[in-house]
Amino acid sequence: MLQIYENEQLALVRQSVKEFAKTYIKPHIMDWDERQHFPVELFKQLGEYGFMGILVPEEFGGSGLGYQEYITVLDEISKVCGSIGLSVAAHNSLCTNHILSFASQEQKQKYLPKLATAEWLGAWGLTETESGSDAGGLSTTGVLEGDYYIVNGSKTFITHAISSDVAVVMVRTGEKGDKKGVTAFIVEKGMPGFSAGQKIDKLGMRASETASLFFDNCKLHKDQVIGNPGEGFVQALKLLDGGRISIAALSLGIARGAYECALSYAHQRKQFNRKIFDFQSIAFTLADMATKIEASELLVRQAGQLKDDGITMTKQSAMAKLFASETAVEVSNESVQIHGGYGFTKDFPAEKYFRDAKLCTIGEGTSAIQRMVISREIGKDVK
């Protein structure tokens, strides 16, 4: 943790999350991972602690905290289990934050109290089979007939698709490729024509549920539109700025967990009658890992501070996401290497960090997309 950002409130939040993770998450992580079990009841407990509505104002039942606290929560949870960190991030920064940022007062009053306490679990749907990085090429369509939109199509790689009670989804209501042709809708579980597919079997993040959503002549009333028709794409892009901070914080926690288990192992494991930490190659590798983790946190917390201050941070959040996610992959890889043969077994935690880390360079914009965003932003600096 960076002392320049730590204060009394953050220290209290950190200690609370750390104790929660140690008590309720750590004993179960490998069982959940092996079975690809999504522990719904755990998220109800997280809701009781205020960790599922971190950014939601108290008037809507949330914790009323900022991005520095949010980063700390994700960091500490992901250090123990990336899967749980991912689900906390998706619920807070995507579904819940979309409603908080763009919904009407009536919609906020209806949905936020249930989401902030995890009485309801949230999902967010943008990605489709043929449109991942090409977010403007949506094929899921909504045709207005009277007071209802008739929605047909599907979404894929959706976190909490099966277990969620409410989802925010982006639907094409205009021409394909038109930035003003996408509308955001709130969809509740059980609405006719709305269903979820089979759970996707994944390499990592296995305890975080991922599946597809399907729309078969699903009738959505105009009251389910968030904001105005045609604003969904712009809303999604603005939301993803904050979402990149989430994945960066998730990456930070995974990297920190992988580093700490490698550091501990390097002080326990002996070869040639010496701790392996005493070998320069191991010590230097750990030094590089520690340095990149601290650099990642600086980038993540800078982006979080700008977000809290209401300052545009598109470049900073993309840089944080890019660097922290690539660091998570590199550090987890080195952690396996330091563990040697044991790193390739499930008896040690290194292999799980290794598997979980890779998603961070893919989800909510690949590393290539982050570089595209950064290059576009730095291009504006040319006079």
Side-chain angles (χ1 to χ4, degrees), residues 57-106:
E58 292 180 14
E59 65 178 294
F60 297 116
S63 299
L65 299 173
Y67 267 80
Q68 295 302 335
E69 291 82 7
Y70 179 49
I71 290 166
T72 297
V73 170
L74 287 181
D75 181 10
E76 288 295 334
I77 289 177
S78 304
K79 187 170 72 173
V80 175
C81 181
S83 294
I84 305 305
L86 175 63
S87 281
V88 171
H91 176 91
N92 273 280
S93 77
L94 294 178
C95 178
T96 303
N97 204 32
H98 198 137
I99 294 171
L100 175 63
S101 300
F102 302 108
S104 67
Q105 193 67 15
E106 292 74 19

Side-chain angles (χ1 to χ4, degrees), residues 25 47 57-58 94 123 129 138 172 201 212 232 256 266 271 277 307 315 323 328 330 340 344-345 378:
I25 300 175
E58 292 180 14
L94 294 178
T129 305
L138 302 183
R172 183 164 60 83
D201 195 5
S212 295
R256 203 188 301 279
Q271 292 287 278
F277 183 81
K307 180 69 173 174
K315 179 181 73 174
F323 191 83
E330 182 180 344
F344 207 65
T345 73
I378 62 176

Side-chain angles (χ1 to χ4, degrees), residues 323-341:
F323 191 83
S325 64
E326 296 284 348
T327 293
V329 171
E330 182 180 344
V331 167
S332 61
N333 179 55
E334 294 290 4
S335 182
V336 171
Q337 194 71 23
I338 288 170
H339 280 79

Side-chain angles (χ1 to χ4, degrees), residues 295-363:
S296 295
E297 185 168 8
L298 279 167
L299 284 168
V300 177
R301 291 204 177 274
Q302 175 191 230
Q305 191 63 55
L306 291 172
K307 180 69 173 174
D308 278 340
D309 292 341
I311 300 171
T312 300
M313 42 76 211
T314 301
K315 179 181 73 174
Q316 289 81 3
S317 65
M319 285 179 169
K321 200 271 190 187
L322 172 65
F323 191 83
S325 64
E326 296 284 348
T327 293
V329 171
E330 182 180 344
V331 167
S332 61
N333 179 55
E334 294 290 4
S335 182
V336 171
Q337 194 71 23
I338 288 170
H339 280 79
Y342 292 109
F344 207 65
T345 73
K346 291 181 181 283
D347 295 328
F348 287 78
E351 64 85 27
K352 184 177 183 295
Y353 290 118
F354 180 76
R355 289 186 289 109
D356 287 347
K358 188 56 195 170
L359 179 69
C360 298
T361 67
I362 299 171

Side-chain angles (χ1 to χ4, degrees), residues 367-382:
S367 291
I369 290 296
Q370 304 313 314
R371 290 185 171 95
M372 184 180 76
V373 171
I374 295 164
S375 61
R376 185 178 62 215
E377 290 298 311
I378 62 176
K380 298 176 182 177
D381 296 336
V382 179

Side-chain angles (χ1 to χ4, degrees), residues 94-348:
L94 294 178
C95 178
T96 303
N97 204 32
H98 198 137
I99 294 171
L100 175 63
S101 300
F102 302 108
S104 67
Q105 193 67 15
E106 292 74 19
Q107 290 170 330
K108 291 178 183 180
Q109 290 172 345
K110 180 178 180 180
Y111 293 107
L112 288 179
K114 293 182 177 180
L115 288 167
T117 57
E119 178 183 345
W120 279 12
L121 196 63
W124 192 78
L126 175 63
T127 302
E128 297 181 0
T129 305
E130 298 299 326
S131 62
S133 297
D134 178 18
L138 302 183
S139 296
T140 298
T141 58
V143 179
L144 185 61
E145 295 183 4
D147 289 335
Y148 290 87
Y149 285 87
I150 310 303
V151 179
N152 285 282
S154 64
K155 299 291 178 179
T156 193
F157 297 126
I158 307 304
T159 306
H160 312 150
I162 301 169
S163 299
S164 62
D165 300 280
V166 62
V168 173
V169 296
M170 265 46 66
V171 174
R172 183 164 60 83
T173 53
E175 295 299 316
K176 183 174 284 192
D178 181 4
K179 291 184 178 179
K180 296 183 179 180
V182 176
T183 301
F185 290 87
I186 302 175
V187 191
E188 295 180 26
K189 178 183 280 188
M191 285 183 165
F194 178 53
S195 62
Q198 297 271 326
K199 186 183 293 185
I200 297 172
D201 195 5
K202 307 193 299 291
L203 168 72
M205 303 292 197
R206 291 173 57 80
S208 180
E209 177 186 278
T210 309
S212 295
L213 292 174
F214 298 102
F215 301 87
D216 182 10
N217 290 320
C218 180
K219 293 177 66 176
L220 299 179
H221 195 273
K222 289 188 295 185
D223 289 346
Q224 298 303 115
V225 171
I226 299 178
N228 296 312
E231 293 179 346
F233 186 74
V234 174
Q235 291 173 5
L237 290 182
K238 290 180 179 178
L239 201 72
L240 286 172
D241 275 353
R244 292 186 185 110
I245 297 175
S246 295
I247 301 300
L250 170 68
S251 304
L252 176 64
I254 292 172
R256 203 188 301 279
Y259 161 74
E260 289 183 1
C261 74
L263 180 64
S264 176
Y265 183 81
H267 278 84
Q268 295 169 12
R269 176 69 168 170
K270 289 186 177 181
Q271 292 287 278
F272 307 102
N273 295 317
R274 298 166 64 190
K275 293 184 297 183
I276 63 171
F277 183 81
D278 293 336
F279 292 98
Q280 190 181 76
S281 61
I282 299 294
F284 279 17
T285 298
L286 285 161
D288 286 342
M289 292 160 72
T291 301
K292 289 180 180 179
I293 288 169
E294 292 231 356
S296 295
E297 185 168 8
L298 279 167
L299 284 168
V300 177
R301 291 204 177 274
Q302 175 191 230
Q305 191 63 55
L306 291 172
K307 180 69 173 174
D308 278 340
D309 292 341
I311 300 171
T312 300
M313 42 76 211
T314 301
K315 179 181 73 174
Q316 289 81 3
S317 65
M319 285 179 169
K321 200 271 190 187
L322 172 65
F323 191 83
S325 64
E326 296 284 348
T327 293
V329 171
E330 182 180 344
V331 167
S332 61
N333 179 55
E334 294 290 4
S335 182
V336 171
Q337 194 71 23
I338 288 170
H339 280 79
Y342 292 109
F344 207 65
T345 73
K346 291 181 181 283
D347 295 328
F348 287 78

